[in-house]
Amino acid sequence: MSPSPVTSTPILRTALVWSVIVAAVLAVVFGVVGFLVGGGEGLGSGLLGVVLSAVFLAITAGSILVANRWFGDALYVPIFFGIVLGGWILKLVVFVVALLLLRGQPWIDPMIFFIAVVTSVIASLVVDVVVLLRMRVPTVSDGRLPTAVVDDEAPVSRRGDTDAV
């Protein structure tokens, strides 16, 4: 499989891999802490909070990775934005359905669920920042530096020219 010409692809893949690892660690942590604090309800709430936030956060990066497969196609831009917008709409629908299904459920500990979601989102943001800071993105493809072209110089304003700013 040849590497993608889109420079965001390796960054997004790395971010997704690390986000999955962090989500797995957080699921274990919140499962144990939730169980110790709230029993079975705490366990389920902690796990559900981490899983839901991980799914929501992965949809955007995943949709961009899927959309990048059409790079070079004449319809790349509309395909890209259609897929990414579709991912956002999917997140909105899943969020509303999850809220409706989970609202008032007796087996959910709201505080543990909330803390798990917030912690997972913050952890995912930290992963994204660390990945972006450590990635090396090529900016020059052939090693040649641009040269100045005489015709590209800005016009020099003349004295008394009222149009000059």
Side-chain angles (χ1 to χ4, degrees), residues 124-142:
S124 177
L125 292 174
V126 169
V127 165
D128 291 347
V129 167
V130 169
V131 167
L132 287 173
L133 288 175
R134 292 188 176 193
M135 292 301 293
R136 304 278 187 219
V137 178
T139 56
V140 178
S141 60
D142 61 0

Side-chain angles (χ1 to χ4, degrees), residues 3-15 64-65 68-69 135:
S4 172
V6 182
T7 56
S8 66
T9 298
I11 296 170
L12 290 168
R13 281 188 187 143
T14 304
I64 294 171
L65 284 172
N68 279 346
R69 294 177 180 256
M135 292 301 293

Side-chain angles (χ1 to χ4, degrees), residues 35-163:
F35 183 74
L36 293 175
V37 171
E41 294 171 0
L43 170 69
S45 300
L47 291 176
L48 187 62
V50 171
V51 168
L52 277 178
S53 63
V55 167
F56 287 137
L57 294 168
I59 288 175
T60 300
S63 66
I64 294 171
L65 284 172
V66 169
N68 279 346
R69 294 177 180 256
W70 279 271
F71 181 78
D73 190 290
L75 295 174
Y76 171 67
V77 173
I79 290 171
F80 179 88
F81 285 109
I83 291 173
V84 173
L85 180 62
W88 289 341
I89 292 170
L90 174 67
K91 282 200 302 191
L92 177 66
V93 169
V94 171
F95 178 74
V96 170
V97 168
L99 281 180
L100 292 175
L101 291 176
L102 297 175
R103 178 184 54 179
Q105 292 295 327
W107 52 271
I108 293 219
D109 184 326
M111 186 54 73
I112 294 173
F113 180 78
F114 174 76
I115 293 171
V117 168
V118 170
T119 304
S120 298
V121 168
I122 290 171
S124 177
L125 292 174
V126 169
V127 165
D128 291 347
V129 167
V130 169
V131 167
L132 287 173
L133 288 175
R134 292 188 176 193
M135 292 301 293
R136 304 278 187 219
V137 178
T139 56
V140 178
S141 60
D142 61 0
R144 292 184 294 168
L145 296 175
T147 57
V149 179
V150 178
D151 294 342
D152 286 346
E153 292 181 11
V156 178
S157 64
R158 296 182 303 267
R159 283 187 139 172
D161 190 359
T162 57
D163 293 338

